[in-house]
Amino acid sequence: MRALILAILLAGCAKNAATELDAFADRACACSAKHDTACAKTVLAELGAFFQSTKHAKGEEAKAAQAARRAGDCLLAAGVTSSELAAALVKPEPEPAPGSAESGSAGSGSAGSAPAP
């Protein structure tokens, strides 16, 4: 499970993102030192949002791997479960709004109907 989470985090780490991920790890470890699960869950929520905003970035994978491993270990030690960690980091892409793909098409409104032969 940790390997999956690490791979997910690494997929979105540019140079600045790796530095920011290191700061998240510092915060997660501070929560762990206090045995503060609520603190860790707050960091996890912010980390999830951060990950979503940097999802397609590329960069310093070695530095990011070290920070991600440390963040994950500290979050788990603070009481966050591995399933909570995975759920915060693996969010599906939002689906397009209904009708947005067909907003410019003319027709009777019956999507997907084929013309009669």
Side-chain angles (χ1 to χ4, degrees), residues 1-103:
M1 184 59 140
R2 287 184 185 179
L4 169 66
I5 294 166
L6 179 62
I8 292 166
L9 285 172
L10 290 177
C13 290
K15 184 175 183 177
N16 263 353
T19 301
E20 289 185 50
L21 186 55
D22 203 35
F24 277 112
D26 290 343
R27 290 179 53 213
C29 292
C31 297
S32 177
K34 297 183 290 186
H35 303 287
D36 188 343
T37 304
C39 170
K41 288 184 179 185
T42 298
V43 172
L44 178 59
E46 293 171 9
L47 180 61
F50 168 76
F51 172 68
Q52 294 302 314
S53 70
T54 60
K55 192 178 229 176
H56 302 291
K58 300 285 183 208
E60 293 183 37
E61 280 111 17
K63 182 177 179 181
Q66 183 179 14
R69 190 174 299 112
R70 191 165 62 92
D73 288 345
C74 288
L75 288 170
L76 292 169
V80 172
T81 66
S82 56
S83 50
E84 288 172 321
L85 190 56
L89 301 175
V90 182
K91 295 188 179 179
E93 294 290 326
E95 293 188 28
S100 64
E102 296 181 18
S103 61

